[in-house]
Amino acid sequence: DQQVKQNSPSLSVQEGRISILNCDYTNSMFDYFLWYKKYPAEGPTFLISISSIKDKNEDGRFTVFLNKSAKHLSLHIVPSQPGDSAVYFCAASQYNNNDMRFGAGTRLTVKP
Amino acid sequence: DAGITQSPRHKVTETGTPVTLRCHQTENHRYMYWYRQDPGHGLRLIHYSYGVKDTDKGEVSDGYSVSRSKTEDFLLTLESATSSQTSVYFCAISPAGGGSGNTIYFGEGSWLTVV
């Protein structure tokens, strides 16, 4: 029962352009959504999050958009840099529940 | 770094043998987690702990047990390892739990191969 889905296993973009990573979820009880970034041989690190009461959250080059009616969120990276090349995991959590659910991840490659 | 040490970092073991992975934290966080990462599945919660001797099951707990006798240590045991338990195992910690968007911090992972 995969409640969080990232349907694109990989994405390749040119340096300086926008990267858009997508995530869909099925559980309407999720009230918070997070993005984690993972480099090879390292653990995931927190990138940005958004509450379900908001539709946008921005942090520097990273913006997350939430469309609750479509149960869809996206992460925009502008401008993309080679150092952004990593696997990005979408995650979702709900109040008082420690079982945070993760998507399968999208491998982003930013070409110089 | 979040002050998390996992050991061993790499292990190859035979089917049917017991295996214990250790997670040690220096942050004094209340919550500790064990996740596994597999291709096509992302990260899935195995077990978590919300205090010393307080643990609960996650999404994929079958075949695993955990123990937490001290705040800083969380052990994951595979009583009789199977090939399906070949995976990368991540320990994670959090001061406030993983619900409602509270951030959890991951260790660097333990690569386990069961042959």
Side-chain angles (χ1 to χ4, degrees), chain B residues 4-15:
Chain B
I4 306 170
T5 304
Q6 292 186 226
S7 59
R9 294 292 313 280
H10 296 87
K11 186 173 181 64
V12 179
T13 192
E14 292 186 350
T15 299

Side-chain angles (χ1 to χ4, degrees), chain A residues 1-2 31-34 36 38 40-46 49 87 89 93-105, chain B residues 9 31 33 35 37 40-45 48 50 58-59 90 96-109 111:
Chain A
D1 176 25
Q2 196 141 12
D31 63 352
Y32 242 98
F33 303 90
L34 305 90
Y36 280 80
K38 184 183 179 303
E42 295 184 9
T45 56
F46 170 74
S49 65
V87 176
F89 291 101
S93 67
Q94 58 187 92
Y95 174 74
N96 223 24
N97 186 328
N98 274 283
D99 193 355
M100 186 181 294
R101 295 298 176 103
F102 288 79
Chain B
R9 294 292 313 280
Y31 292 84
Y33 307 81
Y35 283 85
Q37 183 197 357
H41 292 279
L43 294 143
R44 292 179 292 175
L45 182 65
Y48 71 95
Y50 48 97
E59 183 186 1
F90 288 97
S100 295
N102 294 321
T103 304
I104 60 175
Y105 304 92
F106 287 88
E108 295 188 328
W111 277 254

